[in-house]
Amino acid sequence: MGSLERLGYAAHDDRGRDFARIVGTSRALESALALVERVAPTPSAVLVLGETGTGKELIARAIHNLSPRYDRPFTTLNCAAIPHDLLESELFGHEKGAFTGAIAQKIGRFEMADKGTLFLDEVGDIPPALQPKLLRVLQEQEFERLGGCRTHSVDVRLVAATNRDLAKMVAQSEFRSDLYYRLNVFPILLPPLRTRSEDIPALVEYFVGIFSRRLGTQIDSIPLETMAAFQSYAWPGNIRELQNLVERAVILADDGVLANPFASPQAVASAAAPTKLRDLERAFIVRTLEEVGWVVGGPNGAAAKLGLKRTTLVHRMKTLQIERPAVSDVRLKLPLTNPNHRQDYDKAAKGFGQ
C-alpha cells in the first residue's frame, strides 16, 4: 500500500501529485517518508537535511500537500539566491521609501504564505544580523515590514532545508543556537543517492519517461551495462545530477536504445585510477571543470553540468583541494586545431571571475 493510501488519500488526489514524484522504495527513503507522514498533519516546524540534489523541496511540498493547509499557499524562497542586503525585504516586505529604489510597498514571503506553508531553502545562508528577526516571527508569528512600524500577524507553517551542518555552525558562532533549536523541532534527514542504489533503476526509468516525451525521442530499451553504470557511480550531485545525465543519455540514444552517458574515453580513464569515494568525486569534478575550460558558474559552467549550485561546487572544490590552474595552463589544454576553440579559451579566461 502506498504512502497516500496509508493516509487515506486516493492516488489521483491532487494532494498526492508531488508525493508521487518521490521515486524509490529503499529502506532509507521509506524511513524519511514515514517521518513526512508523521509530521505533515501537525503545525510544527520541520528541518529537512541532506546533501544538495537529494530532493528537499519535493519533501517540503509533500509535507504541505499532506497537511490541513494543502489548499493554502505553498511559498518558497532560496536564501542563498538572494543578496544579503535584499533578503530581509524578500522575507518580510518593505514600505515605500524604506530604502533607495523602494518606489512602492512590497509584501514579503511570510505574508504571501499566510495560512499556508513557507519553504526556506538553504536556511544556513541567512546572515547573523537577520536571524533574530526570523526567530521572532517563528515564535510570535508577527513582524514589521522593512521601514515600517506596524506589526503584522501571520499564521505560517515553516519548513526549512539546508545541506550545511547547522550544529557545527552553532558551535562556531556562525548560527544562532536559539534559532537552530526553533528550526530543529522535527528534523528529516534525506539519504544521499549513493546509499540507495536500489532506487536508481526506478529513477532512471522515471526520468527517461520525462525526457523522452519532452525531447520527442522514443526509448524502447535500457541496456543492462548502461543501468549497471548508473548504479555503480558515486553520484556526488545526487538526484539532480542523475536527472541531468539521463537527459544526456536520451539525447545520445540511437534506435530507441538509451545511451551510456559514461561511455567516453575521459570517463573510462578517470574511473580506472581512483578507488575511494572522495577520489572518485574529486576526479569527476576536475574532469567536468576541464571539459568546460574551468568555468564554474553560468548556464554552461561546471556547476550546471554537475547539477549543483555554484556555491556548493565552490565549497566542494575547497574541501577536495581543487585549485584552478593558471590561465596559461588552461590555454594549453584547449585544442587549437579548430579556430572555434579560441572562443572556448576566451570563455575559460572569463570563467575565473565567475
Side-chain angles (χ1 to χ4, degrees), residues 284-303:
F284 187 72
I285 290 175
V286 169
R287 187 180 78 241
T288 304
L289 286 164
E290 289 176 346
E291 289 176 355
V292 299
W294 288 81
V295 178
V296 175
N300 298 317

Side-chain angles (χ1 to χ4, degrees), residues 40 125 145 224 293-294:
D125 285 47
R145 294 181 187 142
L224 291 177
W294 288 81

Side-chain angles (χ1 to χ4, degrees), residues 23-31 191-205 227-228 230-233 235 242:
V23 178
T25 57
S26 64
R27 181 176 298 182
L29 181 61
E30 285 292 332
S31 297
L193 187 55
R194 62 181 174 273
T195 66
R196 39 181 291 229
S197 60
E198 62 268 41
D199 288 337
I200 289 177
L203 284 163
V204 170
E205 292 175 1
M227 188 63 77
F230 276 108
Q231 287 189 278
S232 62
Y233 180 59
W235 299 112
L242 173 65

Side-chain angles (χ1 to χ4, degrees), residues 54-315:
T54 50
K56 293 187 284 293
E57 184 170 347
L58 276 181
I59 292 296
R61 287 185 180 275
I63 292 170
H64 173 75
N65 286 344
L66 299 178
S67 76
R69 301 171 184 255
Y70 75 95
D71 57 347
R72 297 291 186 168
F74 177 79
T75 306
T76 67
L77 179 66
N78 187 323
C79 301
I82 307 297
H84 286 180
D85 54 348
L86 297 179
L87 187 55
E88 181 176 2
S89 174
E90 285 293 327
L91 285 171
F92 306 110
H94 63 251
E95 300 292 350
K96 180 179 179 180
F99 52 84
T100 303
I103 60 175
Q105 183 189 82
K106 174 185 175 179
I107 65 171
R109 302 303 171 101
F110 272 98
E111 285 182 85
M112 293 180 188
D114 191 24
K115 303 296 190 297
T117 303
L118 175 61
F119 174 57
L120 293 183
D121 198 6
E122 305 295 351
V123 71
D125 285 47
I126 293 180
L130 191 55
Q131 292 175 19
K133 192 167 185 177
L134 177 59
L135 176 63
R136 180 192 170 207
V137 72
L138 293 181
Q139 292 185 156
E140 309 297 335
Q141 294 279 289
E142 61 182 29
F143 63 93
E144 290 79 38
R145 294 181 187 142
L146 185 61
C149 55
R150 177 189 166 192
T151 299
H152 297 267
S153 297
V154 290
D155 174 16
V156 173
R157 198 260 184 90
L158 183 77
V159 179
T162 183
N163 59 7
R164 305 179 69 177
D165 187 342
L166 293 186
K168 183 178 179 180
M169 293 178 66
V170 169
Q172 296 175 344
S173 300
E174 297 175 355
F175 200 85
R176 289 180 64 104
S177 60
D178 46 5
L179 177 57
Y180 170 63
Y181 300 139
R182 188 67 186 83
L183 293 173
N184 199 38
V185 172
F186 197 90
I188 297 177
L189 177 63
L190 293 187
L193 187 55
R194 62 181 174 273
T195 66
R196 39 181 291 229
S197 60
E198 62 268 41
D199 288 337
I200 289 177
L203 284 163
V204 170
E205 292 175 1
Y206 174 76
F207 288 125
V208 165
I210 290 177
F211 291 116
S212 60
R213 290 190 297 270
R214 184 180 300 174
L215 301 173
T217 301
Q218 182 174 341
I219 302 296
D220 300 314
S221 66
I222 303 175
L224 291 177
E225 58 270 22
T226 298
M227 188 63 77
F230 276 108
Q231 287 189 278
S232 62
Y233 180 59
W235 299 112
N238 291 292
I239 297 173
R240 187 181 294 123
E241 184 185 6
L242 173 65
Q243 177 180 345
N244 292 341
L245 277 181
V246 170
E247 181 177 7
R248 181 193 303 175
V250 171
I251 294 172
L252 295 173
D254 289 319
D255 300 322
V257 178
L258 187 71
N260 183 351
F262 302 97
S264 67
Q266 294 88 348
V268 173
S270 63
T275 55
K276 295 183 179 179
L277 179 59
R278 178 185 176 93
D279 294 333
L280 284 169
E281 180 182 2
R282 189 181 192 282
F284 187 72
I285 290 175
V286 169
R287 187 180 78 241
T288 304
L289 286 164
E290 289 176 346
E291 289 176 355
V292 299
W294 288 81
V295 178
V296 175
N300 298 317
K305 288 185 176 294
L306 290 169
L308 302 174
K309 295 174 183 174
R310 179 185 175 279
T311 53
T312 301
L313 177 56
V314 170
H315 175 71

